């Protein structure tokens, strides 16, 4: 949850999640639609799907217990290098170091690393350096990893360039004045492509037309309003721009009274039941703006 969401935002979600799915077995046995509904509002629903797949994998392959081994952890769906390192070091006190954005910033300043901190090369440089220091210090991997992440989150922040309160000042290239370029260096992201979309509000008495069309490859299995490519010549009742990580939708919303033959399956949902559905974020915002949700 914390990978794409601020801690303050995700905390109530986490608490509710642990009440409903206190064990790996509980999550593995849950219906995926219920899992996605629990996740609603956090976005990036692939994370929820991977948690569900991962729980099933652990039940089937590791007798319901996470393995105390980084390589085996990476066999679990949804667990990559960072998450496996975090689990290995924090949960099992193995000599691994998770490299997150905060740690990258700390290490770039500490070492005066001027290349792209998000490149794989930078990750290897930081990981090698930190593992050597972890081994040489004899520190507890759990405390070592969490201290590094907290240092970046609370002390060596993007705005704290004066190094106030840092316990490593004298050892840091940034504090010694050796940093002469932008550190950490992150190349500017290319602007994401935008696509015009039309969302149609089609009501029949107390029901509204919905679909589960995910032919665009986005948000598989979630419910959405009928959406088509392009804009029409009609006057929209509202507009919305929704930005994903790799593209954006410029949405015009129209009231539609005449029946339409869509290329995807649609079905009627009582408006009072919309809150029970896991609706894609962009369309949930539209329904809220129109006081339908």
């Amino acid at each position: 949850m914390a990978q794409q969401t601020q801690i303050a935002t995700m905390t109530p979600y986490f608490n509710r999640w642990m009440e409903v799915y206190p064990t790996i077995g509980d999550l593995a046995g849950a219906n995926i639609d219920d899992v996605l509904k629990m996740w609603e509002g956090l976005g990036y629903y692939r994370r929820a799907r991977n948690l569900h797949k991962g729980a099933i994998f652990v039940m089937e392959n590791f007798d319901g217990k996470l393995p105390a081994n980084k390589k085996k952890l990476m066999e679990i769906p949804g667990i990559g290098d960072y998450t496996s390192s975090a689990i290995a070091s924090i949960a099992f006190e193995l000599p691994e170091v998770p490299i997150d954005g905060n740690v990258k910033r700390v290490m770039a300043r500490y070492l005066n690393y001027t290349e792209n901190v998000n490149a794989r090369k930078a990750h290897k440089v930081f990981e090698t350096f930190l593992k050597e220091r972890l081994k040489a210090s004899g520190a507890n991997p759990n405390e070592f990893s969490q201290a590094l992440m907290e240092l970046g989150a609370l002390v060596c922040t993007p705005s704290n360039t004066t190094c106030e309160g840092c316990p490593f000042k004298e050892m840091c290239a940034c504090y010694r004045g050796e940093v002469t370029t932008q550190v950490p260096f992150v190349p500017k992201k290319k602007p994401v492509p935008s696509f015009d979309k039309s969302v149609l509000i089609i009501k029949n008495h107390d029901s509204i037309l919905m679909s589960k069309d995910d032919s665009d490859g986005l948000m598989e299995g979630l419910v959405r309003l009928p959406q088509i490519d392009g804009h029409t010549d009609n006057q929209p009742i509202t507009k919305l721009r929704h930005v994903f990580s790799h593209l954006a939708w410029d949405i015009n919303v129209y009231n539609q009274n005449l029946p339409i033959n869509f290329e995807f399956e649609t079905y009627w949902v009582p408006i009072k039941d919309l809150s029970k559905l896991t609706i894609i974020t962009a369309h949930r915002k539209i329904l809220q703006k129109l006081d339908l949700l």
Side-chain angles (χ1 to χ4, degrees):
M1 288 182 182
Q3 286 178 352
Q4 301 284 351
T5 313
Q6 293 182 347
I7 297 297
T9 301
M10 59 78 69
T11 299
Y13 284 91
F14 174 79
N15 291 336
R16 287 196 297 270
W17 183 278
M18 294 308 298
E19 288 178 5
V20 178
Y21 308 124
T23 69
I24 294 174
D26 290 322
L27 178 56
N31 182 283
I32 184 59
D33 290 334
D34 294 334
V35 172
L36 293 174
K37 184 61 179 176
M38 283 287 293
W39 195 269
E40 188 177 29
L42 288 172
Y44 297 91
Y45 286 89
R46 187 177 299 275
R47 294 179 294 164
R49 291 186 178 278
N50 281 335
L51 272 170
H52 188 243
K53 290 178 182 177
I56 295 172
F57 187 91
V58 171
M59 294 300 296
E60 293 178 348
N61 295 275
F62 299 125
D63 296 324
K65 296 181 180 179
L66 287 175
N69 180 288
K70 178 178 167 67
K71 288 185 177 180
K72 289 187 177 297
L73 284 166
M74 290 184 69
E75 295 176 10
I76 301 171
I79 294 184
D81 183 83
Y82 168 74
T83 305
S84 61
S85 293
I87 295 171
S89 63
I90 297 172
F92 299 117
E93 298 185 353
L94 298 175
E96 302 290 345
V97 182
I99 311 292
D100 67 357
N102 289 321
V103 174
K104 290 176 183 178
R105 180 171 58 256
V106 170
M107 295 313 302
R109 289 173 172 172
Y110 189 91
L111 298 174
N112 191 18
Y113 187 86
T114 59
E115 298 181 48
N116 179 8
V117 294
N118 289 330
R120 184 62 189 171
K121 177 184 176 182
H123 186 282
K124 292 302 295 182
V125 169
F126 299 156
E127 183 180 52
T128 300
F129 178 86
L130 288 169
K131 280 188 174 182
E132 289 175 353
R133 295 305 182 275
L134 172 61
K135 183 178 179 180
S137 68
N140 181 305
N142 177 331
E143 296 174 349
F144 187 89
S145 294
Q146 293 198 71
L148 268 174
M149 291 188 282
E150 290 294 278
L151 181 64
L154 303 176
V155 181
C156 191
T157 62
S159 59
N160 185 16
T161 55
T162 61
C163 306
E164 182 179 357
C166 181
F168 295 115
K169 289 194 294 190
E170 286 73 16
M171 295 178 280
C172 179
C174 183
Y175 182 77
R176 293 197 301 264
E178 298 171 10
V179 175
T180 58
T181 58
Q182 179 184 344
V183 174
F185 170 66
V186 179
K188 289 184 178 180
K189 292 183 178 179
K190 296 180 180 179
V192 297
S194 296
F195 299 91
D196 291 342
K197 300 289 181 179
S198 291
V199 165
L200 305 180
I201 303 297
I202 305 174
K203 290 186 285 186
N204 181 16
H205 301 295
D206 294 328
S207 294
I208 188 169
L209 200 64
M210 304 294 289
S211 83
K212 282 194 173 183
D213 174 45
D214 53 22
S215 56
D216 52 17
L218 298 172
M219 295 158 291
E220 177 186 354
L222 272 62
V223 179
R224 61 176 75 187
L225 291 158
Q227 177 172 286
I228 58 176
D229 293 335
H231 291 161
T232 76
D233 294 330
N234 298 328
Q235 183 66 30
I237 57 175
T238 189
K239 296 181 179 182
L240 177 75
R241 178 174 172 82
H242 188 77
V243 180
F244 298 90
S245 59
H246 61 298
L247 58 85
W249 284 348
D250 287 314
I251 302 173
N252 281 3
V253 183
Y254 306 93
N255 273 326
Q256 177 70 36
N257 296 319
L258 299 176
I260 290 180
N261 292 322
F262 293 106
E263 295 181 356
F264 47 84
E265 184 178 349
T266 58
Y267 61 101
W268 295 102
V269 174
I271 294 175
K272 64 181 179 61
D273 292 340
L274 284 174
S275 61
K276 300 176 183 179
L277 305 179
T278 308
I279 302 169
I280 65 174
T281 301
H283 291 190
R284 183 156 43 85
K285 290 179 179 178
I286 291 169
L287 290 167
Q288 289 170 341
K289 287 182 70 173
L290 299 177
D291 292 326
L292 294 172
L293 184 61

